[in-house]
mmCIF file of all heavy atoms in Angstrom:
data_model
loop_
_atom_site.group_PDB
_atom_site.id
_atom_site.type_symbol
_atom_site.label_atom_id
_atom_site.label_comp_id
_atom_site.label_asym_id
_atom_site.label_seq_id
_atom_site.Cartn_x
_atom_site.Cartn_y
_atom_site.Cartn_z
ATOM 1 N N ALA A 1 -13.626 -8.257 1.035
ATOM 2 C CA ALA A 1 -14.822 -8.891 1.590
ATOM 3 C C ALA A 1 -14.463 -10.057 2.500
ATOM 4 O O ALA A 1 -15.141 -10.304 3.495
ATOM 5 C CB ALA A 1 -15.737 -9.369 0.464
ATOM 6 N N SER A 2 -13.402 -10.775 2.184
ATOM 7 C CA SER A 2 -12.994 -11.898 3.040
ATOM 8 C C SER A 2 -11.496 -11.787 3.277
ATOM 9 O O SER A 2 -11.053 -10.938 4.018
ATOM 10 C CB SER A 2 -13.382 -13.230 2.395
ATOM 11 O OG SER A 2 -12.798 -13.360 1.113
ATOM 12 N N GLN A 3 -10.716 -12.627 2.628
ATOM 13 C CA GLN A 3 -9.270 -12.561 2.807
ATOM 14 C C GLN A 3 -8.675 -11.575 1.814
ATOM 15 O O GLN A 3 -9.277 -11.243 0.816
ATOM 16 C CB GLN A 3 -8.657 -13.933 2.631
ATOM 17 C CG GLN A 3 -8.855 -14.521 1.245
ATOM 18 C CD GLN A 3 -8.356 -15.937 1.175
ATOM 19 O OE1 GLN A 3 -8.056 -16.562 2.169
ATOM 20 N NE2 GLN A 3 -8.260 -16.475 -0.018
ATOM 21 N N GLY A 4 -7.501 -11.110 2.108
ATOM 22 C CA GLY A 4 -6.827 -10.188 1.203
ATOM 23 C C GLY A 4 -6.261 -9.004 1.952
ATOM 24 O O GLY A 4 -6.346 -8.909 3.173
ATOM 25 N N ILE A 5 -5.677 -8.107 1.215
ATOM 26 C CA ILE A 5 -5.019 -6.937 1.781
ATOM 27 C C ILE A 5 -5.818 -5.699 1.431
ATOM 28 O O ILE A 5 -6.212 -5.520 0.276
ATOM 29 C CB ILE A 5 -3.586 -6.828 1.223
ATOM 30 C CG1 ILE A 5 -2.774 -8.054 1.649
ATOM 31 C CG2 ILE A 5 -2.905 -5.541 1.663
ATOM 32 C CD1 ILE A 5 -1.404 -8.138 1.023
ATOM 33 N N PRO A 6 -6.052 -4.817 2.397
ATOM 34 C CA PRO A 6 -6.754 -3.563 2.090
ATOM 35 C C PRO A 6 -5.956 -2.715 1.105
ATOM 36 O O PRO A 6 -4.720 -2.722 1.112
ATOM 37 C CB PRO A 6 -6.847 -2.855 3.441
ATOM 38 C CG PRO A 6 -6.660 -3.925 4.463
ATOM 39 C CD PRO A 6 -5.763 -4.942 3.827
ATOM 40 N N ILE A 7 -6.680 -2.006 0.256
ATOM 41 C CA ILE A 7 -6.080 -1.074 -0.690
ATOM 42 C C ILE A 7 -6.504 0.321 -0.265
ATOM 43 O O ILE A 7 -7.689 0.588 -0.082
ATOM 44 C CB ILE A 7 -6.561 -1.351 -2.123
ATOM 45 C CG1 ILE A 7 -6.151 -2.750 -2.572
ATOM 46 C CG2 ILE A 7 -6.034 -0.287 -3.088
ATOM 47 C CD1 ILE A 7 -6.774 -3.187 -3.884
ATOM 48 N N LEU A 8 -5.532 1.220 -0.102
ATOM 49 C CA LEU A 8 -5.825 2.601 0.230
ATOM 50 C C LEU A 8 -5.636 3.438 -1.025
ATOM 51 O O LEU A 8 -4.582 3.382 -1.662
ATOM 52 C CB LEU A 8 -4.916 3.118 1.341
ATOM 53 C CG LEU A 8 -4.933 2.325 2.647
ATOM 54 C CD1 LEU A 8 -4.008 2.980 3.674
ATOM 55 C CD2 LEU A 8 -6.327 2.213 3.207
ATOM 56 N N LEU A 9 -6.658 4.197 -1.381
ATOM 57 C CA LEU A 9 -6.570 5.089 -2.534
ATOM 58 C C LEU A 9 -6.271 6.483 -2.025
ATOM 59 O O LEU A 9 -7.017 7.035 -1.223
ATOM 60 C CB LEU A 9 -7.881 5.070 -3.324
ATOM 61 C CG LEU A 9 -8.321 3.708 -3.858
ATOM 62 C CD1 LEU A 9 -9.669 3.832 -4.559
ATOM 63 C CD2 LEU A 9 -7.280 3.125 -4.791
ATOM 64 N N HIS A 10 -5.183 7.049 -2.505
ATOM 65 C CA HIS A 10 -4.728 8.368 -2.068
ATOM 66 C C HIS A 10 -4.680 9.267 -3.295
ATOM 67 O O HIS A 10 -4.180 8.865 -4.350
ATOM 68 C CB HIS A 10 -3.338 8.239 -1.449
ATOM 69 C CG HIS A 10 -2.879 9.437 -0.709
ATOM 70 N ND1 HIS A 10 -2.597 10.624 -1.318
ATOM 71 C CD2 HIS A 10 -2.639 9.622 0.599
ATOM 72 C CE1 HIS A 10 -2.207 11.506 -0.418
ATOM 73 N NE2 HIS A 10 -2.222 10.911 0.766
ATOM 74 N N ALA A 11 -5.173 10.479 -3.170
ATOM 75 C CA ALA A 11 -5.157 11.414 -4.295
ATOM 76 C C ALA A 11 -3.715 11.675 -4.731
ATOM 77 O O ALA A 11 -2.857 12.001 -3.907
ATOM 78 C CB ALA A 11 -5.840 12.713 -3.911
ATOM 79 N N ALA A 12 -3.455 11.526 -6.014
ATOM 80 C CA ALA A 12 -2.124 11.779 -6.557
ATOM 81 C C ALA A 12 -1.875 13.280 -6.632
ATOM 82 O O ALA A 12 -2.790 14.061 -6.917
ATOM 83 C CB ALA A 12 -2.002 11.161 -7.948
ATOM 84 N N ALA A 13 -0.646 13.667 -6.373
ATOM 85 C CA ALA A 13 -0.264 15.078 -6.489
ATOM 86 C C ALA A 13 -0.313 15.497 -7.951
ATOM 87 O O ALA A 13 -0.258 14.655 -8.859
ATOM 88 C CB ALA A 13 1.133 15.289 -5.920
ATOM 89 N N LYS A 14 -0.380 16.777 -8.177
ATOM 90 C CA LYS A 14 -0.501 17.325 -9.529
ATOM 91 C C LYS A 14 0.572 16.780 -10.473
ATOM 92 O O LYS A 14 0.281 16.374 -11.585
ATOM 93 C CB LYS A 14 -0.408 18.849 -9.468
ATOM 94 C CG LYS A 14 -1.168 19.556 -10.544
ATOM 95 C CD LYS A 14 -1.035 21.062 -10.392
ATOM 96 C CE LYS A 14 -2.373 21.630 -9.994
ATOM 97 N NZ LYS A 14 -2.378 23.090 -10.024
ATOM 98 N N GLY A 15 1.812 16.754 -10.047
ATOM 99 C CA GLY A 15 2.905 16.313 -10.893
ATOM 100 C C GLY A 15 3.182 14.825 -10.840
ATOM 101 O O GLY A 15 4.083 14.327 -11.517
ATOM 102 N N GLN A 16 2.433 14.088 -10.042
ATOM 103 C CA GLN A 16 2.676 12.653 -9.877
ATOM 104 C C GLN A 16 2.038 11.873 -11.014
ATOM 105 O O GLN A 16 0.865 12.050 -11.328
ATOM 106 C CB GLN A 16 2.106 12.198 -8.534
ATOM 107 C CG GLN A 16 2.529 10.841 -8.115
ATOM 108 C CD GLN A 16 2.073 10.538 -6.686
ATOM 109 O OE1 GLN A 16 1.231 11.219 -6.133
ATOM 110 N NE2 GLN A 16 2.644 9.516 -6.110
ATOM 111 N N LYS A 17 2.811 10.999 -11.630
ATOM 112 C CA LYS A 17 2.328 10.178 -12.729
ATOM 113 C C LYS A 17 1.691 8.908 -12.171
ATOM 114 O O LYS A 17 2.273 8.240 -11.322
ATOM 115 C CB LYS A 17 3.499 9.834 -13.652
ATOM 116 C CG LYS A 17 3.110 9.078 -14.884
ATOM 117 C CD LYS A 17 4.332 8.824 -15.756
ATOM 118 C CE LYS A 17 3.950 7.964 -16.928
ATOM 119 N NZ LYS A 17 5.121 7.565 -17.700
ATOM 120 N N GLU A 18 0.519 8.567 -12.669
ATOM 121 C CA GLU A 18 -0.163 7.360 -12.207
ATOM 122 C C GLU A 18 0.440 6.120 -12.855
ATOM 123 O O GLU A 18 0.951 6.161 -13.957
ATOM 124 C CB GLU A 18 -1.654 7.423 -12.555
ATOM 125 C CG GLU A 18 -2.410 8.478 -11.795
ATOM 126 C CD GLU A 18 -3.870 8.487 -12.167
ATOM 127 O OE1 GLU A 18 -4.185 8.789 -13.330
ATOM 128 O OE2 GLU A 18 -4.697 8.192 -11.300
ATOM 129 N N GLY A 19 0.340 4.998 -12.141
ATOM 130 C CA GLY A 19 0.761 3.714 -12.679
ATOM 131 C C GLY A 19 2.251 3.631 -12.985
ATOM 132 O O GLY A 19 2.670 2.839 -13.809
ATOM 133 N N GLN A 20 3.072 4.427 -12.295
ATOM 134 C CA GLN A 20 4.495 4.467 -12.623
ATOM 135 C C GLN A 20 5.330 3.456 -11.852
ATOM 136 O O GLN A 20 6.463 3.183 -12.215
ATOM 137 C CB GLN A 20 5.054 5.866 -12.394
ATOM 138 C CG GLN A 20 5.042 6.310 -10.947
ATOM 139 C CD GLN A 20 5.455 7.765 -10.797
ATOM 140 O OE1 GLN A 20 5.718 8.446 -11.773
ATOM 141 N NE2 GLN A 20 5.524 8.230 -9.583
ATOM 142 N N ALA A 21 4.814 2.896 -10.800
ATOM 143 C CA ALA A 21 5.584 1.935 -10.005
ATOM 144 C C ALA A 21 5.613 0.577 -10.704
ATOM 145 O O ALA A 21 4.699 0.209 -11.420
ATOM 146 C CB ALA A 21 4.969 1.791 -8.614
ATOM 147 N N CYS A 22 6.667 -0.166 -10.472
ATOM 148 C CA CYS A 22 6.792 -1.508 -11.040
ATOM 149 C C CYS A 22 6.157 -2.506 -10.075
ATOM 150 O O CYS A 22 6.855 -3.264 -9.397
ATOM 151 C CB CYS A 22 8.259 -1.847 -11.286
ATOM 152 S SG CYS A 22 9.003 -0.821 -12.538
ATOM 153 N N VAL A 23 4.854 -2.466 -10.009
ATOM 154 C CA VAL A 23 4.102 -3.315 -9.097
ATOM 155 C C VAL A 23 2.953 -3.941 -9.871
ATOM 156 O O VAL A 23 2.374 -3.313 -10.753
ATOM 157 C CB VAL A 23 3.530 -2.483 -7.922
ATOM 158 C CG1 VAL A 23 2.594 -3.306 -7.068
ATOM 159 C CG2 VAL A 23 4.644 -1.899 -7.088
ATOM 160 N N LYS A 24 2.647 -5.179 -9.549
ATOM 161 C CA LYS A 24 1.461 -5.822 -10.110
ATOM 162 C C LYS A 24 0.649 -6.371 -8.949
ATOM 163 O O LYS A 24 1.184 -7.058 -8.081
ATOM 164 C CB LYS A 24 1.841 -6.953 -11.058
ATOM 165 C CG LYS A 24 0.619 -7.651 -11.665
ATOM 166 C CD LYS A 24 1.005 -8.835 -12.521
ATOM 167 C CE LYS A 24 1.416 -8.359 -13.879
ATOM 168 N NZ LYS A 24 1.626 -9.474 -14.831
ATOM 169 N N LEU A 25 -0.627 -6.053 -8.929
ATOM 170 C CA LEU A 25 -1.531 -6.596 -7.920
ATOM 171 C C LEU A 25 -2.090 -7.902 -8.477
ATOM 172 O O LEU A 25 -2.713 -7.908 -9.532
ATOM 173 C CB LEU A 25 -2.664 -5.620 -7.628
ATOM 174 C CG LEU A 25 -2.245 -4.212 -7.206
ATOM 175 C CD1 LEU A 25 -3.464 -3.336 -7.015
ATOM 176 C CD2 LEU A 25 -1.420 -4.268 -5.947
ATOM 177 N N VAL A 26 -1.860 -9.007 -7.761
ATOM 178 C CA VAL A 26 -2.309 -10.315 -8.224
ATOM 179 C C VAL A 26 -3.420 -10.801 -7.301
ATOM 180 O O VAL A 26 -3.233 -10.912 -6.089
ATOM 181 C CB VAL A 26 -1.146 -11.338 -8.241
ATOM 182 C CG1 VAL A 26 -1.641 -12.693 -8.716
ATOM 183 C CG2 VAL A 26 -0.009 -10.831 -9.118
ATOM 184 N N PHE A 27 -4.564 -11.081 -7.903
ATOM 185 C CA PHE A 27 -5.725 -11.572 -7.161
ATOM 186 C C PHE A 27 -5.879 -13.058 -7.434
ATOM 187 O O PHE A 27 -5.884 -13.486 -8.593
ATOM 188 C CB PHE A 27 -6.981 -10.807 -7.582
ATOM 189 C CG PHE A 27 -6.947 -9.365 -7.170
ATOM 190 C CD1 PHE A 27 -6.332 -8.416 -7.965
ATOM 191 C CD2 PHE A 27 -7.508 -8.958 -5.971
ATOM 192 C CE1 PHE A 27 -6.286 -7.082 -7.583
ATOM 193 C CE2 PHE A 27 -7.466 -7.633 -5.578
ATOM 194 C CZ PHE A 27 -6.854 -6.691 -6.383
ATOM 195 N N ASP A 28 -5.991 -13.844 -6.361
ATOM 196 C CA ASP A 28 -6.121 -15.290 -6.472
ATOM 197 C C ASP A 28 -7.570 -15.664 -6.779
ATOM 198 O O ASP A 28 -8.488 -15.256 -6.064
ATOM 199 C CB ASP A 28 -5.699 -15.962 -5.161
ATOM 200 C CG ASP A 28 -4.244 -15.699 -4.822
ATOM 201 O OD1 ASP A 28 -3.428 -15.635 -5.756
ATOM 202 O OD2 ASP A 28 -3.930 -15.558 -3.631
ATOM 203 N N VAL A 29 -7.775 -16.420 -7.839
ATOM 204 C CA VAL A 29 -9.098 -16.918 -8.217
ATOM 205 C C VAL A 29 -8.970 -18.400 -8.559
ATOM 206 O O VAL A 29 -7.911 -18.854 -8.997
ATOM 207 C CB VAL A 29 -9.696 -16.133 -9.412
ATOM 208 C CG1 VAL A 29 -9.894 -14.664 -9.064
ATOM 209 C CG2 VAL A 29 -8.854 -16.268 -10.662
ATOM 210 N N LYS A 30 -10.030 -19.144 -8.354
ATOM 211 C CA LYS A 30 -9.996 -20.574 -8.674
ATOM 212 C C LYS A 30 -10.095 -20.820 -10.178
ATOM 213 O O LYS A 30 -9.447 -21.705 -10.709
ATOM 214 C CB LYS A 30 -11.134 -21.305 -7.963
ATOM 215 C CG LYS A 30 -10.920 -21.442 -6.487
ATOM 216 C CD LYS A 30 -12.024 -22.237 -5.843
ATOM 217 C CE LYS A 30 -11.769 -22.339 -4.351
ATOM 218 N NZ LYS A 30 -12.813 -23.051 -3.652
ATOM 219 N N ASP A 31 -10.940 -20.035 -10.858
ATOM 220 C CA ASP A 31 -11.212 -20.260 -12.273
ATOM 221 C C ASP A 31 -10.997 -18.959 -13.039
ATOM 222 O O ASP A 31 -11.860 -18.083 -13.040
ATOM 223 C CB ASP A 31 -12.639 -20.773 -12.433
ATOM 224 C CG ASP A 31 -12.981 -21.191 -13.847
ATOM 225 O OD1 ASP A 31 -12.359 -20.679 -14.808
ATOM 226 O OD2 ASP A 31 -13.894 -22.027 -14.003
ATOM 227 N N VAL A 32 -9.858 -18.830 -13.688
ATOM 228 C CA VAL A 32 -9.499 -17.605 -14.409
ATOM 229 C C VAL A 32 -10.463 -17.344 -15.568
ATOM 230 O O VAL A 32 -10.889 -16.214 -15.789
ATOM 231 C CB VAL A 32 -8.032 -17.656 -14.894
ATOM 232 C CG1 VAL A 32 -7.697 -16.479 -15.783
ATOM 233 C CG2 VAL A 32 -7.088 -17.718 -13.699
ATOM 234 N N ILE A 33 -10.825 -18.382 -16.302
ATOM 235 C CA ILE A 33 -11.722 -18.211 -17.443
ATOM 236 C C ILE A 33 -13.080 -17.688 -16.978
ATOM 237 O O ILE A 33 -13.617 -16.727 -17.542
ATOM 238 C CB ILE A 33 -11.877 -19.528 -18.237
ATOM 239 C CG1 ILE A 33 -10.548 -19.899 -18.894
ATOM 240 C CG2 ILE A 33 -12.982 -19.410 -19.280
ATOM 241 C CD1 ILE A 33 -10.508 -21.281 -19.517
ATOM 242 N N ALA A 34 -13.639 -18.296 -15.944
ATOM 243 C CA ALA A 34 -14.942 -17.849 -15.435
ATOM 244 C C ALA A 34 -14.855 -16.417 -14.916
ATOM 245 O O ALA A 34 -15.737 -15.593 -15.187
ATOM 246 C CB ALA A 34 -15.433 -18.787 -14.332
ATOM 247 N N PHE A 35 -13.785 -16.103 -14.184
ATOM 248 C CA PHE A 35 -13.640 -14.766 -13.626
ATOM 249 C C PHE A 35 -13.539 -13.720 -14.731
ATOM 250 O O PHE A 35 -14.220 -12.695 -14.699
ATOM 251 C CB PHE A 35 -12.414 -14.673 -12.715
ATOM 252 C CG PHE A 35 -12.301 -13.333 -12.043
ATOM 253 C CD1 PHE A 35 -12.850 -13.129 -10.791
ATOM 254 C CD2 PHE A 35 -11.680 -12.264 -12.679
ATOM 255 C CE1 PHE A 35 -12.774 -11.886 -10.184
ATOM 256 C CE2 PHE A 35 -11.594 -11.025 -12.088
ATOM 257 C CZ PHE A 35 -12.149 -10.835 -10.830
ATOM 258 N N THR A 36 -12.700 -13.980 -15.733
ATOM 259 C CA THR A 36 -12.519 -12.987 -16.790
ATOM 260 C C THR A 36 -13.773 -12.835 -17.656
ATOM 261 O O THR A 36 -14.029 -11.760 -18.185
ATOM 262 C CB THR A 36 -11.294 -13.310 -17.668
ATOM 263 O OG1 THR A 36 -11.426 -14.624 -18.214
ATOM 264 C CG2 THR A 36 -10.005 -13.207 -16.863
ATOM 265 N N THR A 37 -14.553 -13.886 -17.767
ATOM 266 C CA THR A 37 -15.824 -13.795 -18.504
ATOM 267 C C THR A 37 -16.787 -12.861 -17.781
ATOM 268 O O THR A 37 -17.392 -11.974 -18.393
ATOM 269 C CB THR A 37 -16.453 -15.194 -18.671
ATOM 270 O OG1 THR A 37 -15.540 -16.017 -19.410
ATOM 271 C CG2 THR A 37 -17.787 -15.125 -19.391
ATOM 272 N N VAL A 38 -16.914 -13.033 -16.464
ATOM 273 C CA VAL A 38 -17.780 -12.157 -15.665
ATOM 274 C C VAL A 38 -17.240 -10.728 -15.672
ATOM 275 O O VAL A 38 -17.991 -9.763 -15.792
ATOM 276 C CB VAL A 38 -17.930 -12.694 -14.223
ATOM 277 C CG1 VAL A 38 -18.659 -11.702 -13.340
ATOM 278 C CG2 VAL A 38 -18.662 -14.038 -14.232
ATOM 279 N N ALA A 39 -15.925 -10.582 -15.570
ATOM 280 C CA ALA A 39 -15.315 -9.247 -15.586
ATOM 281 C C ALA A 39 -15.630 -8.528 -16.894
ATOM 282 O O ALA A 39 -15.972 -7.333 -16.890
ATOM 283 C CB ALA A 39 -13.805 -9.354 -15.388
#
């Protein structure tokens, strides 16, 4: 919606395992407690 990096969702192949990469997407928020409460 404002700043950040676009995320492209691509259909995984039949034999491809999801969530297998060693990557963490980190989203910057001012108030973690407030954000997680709303989430």
Side-chain angles (χ1 to χ4, degrees):
S2 58
Q3 62 186 12
I5 297 173
I7 298 171
L8 303 182
L9 301 177
H10 192 293
K14 210 179 248 189
Q16 192 172 15
K17 185 178 175 187
E18 292 181 295
Q20 65 187 2
C22 294
V23 172
K24 180 184 279 188
L25 305 177
V26 180
F27 293 86
D28 298 324
V29 298
K30 288 183 180 178
D31 187 334
V32 173
I33 294 171
F35 184 93
T36 56
T37 300
V38 172

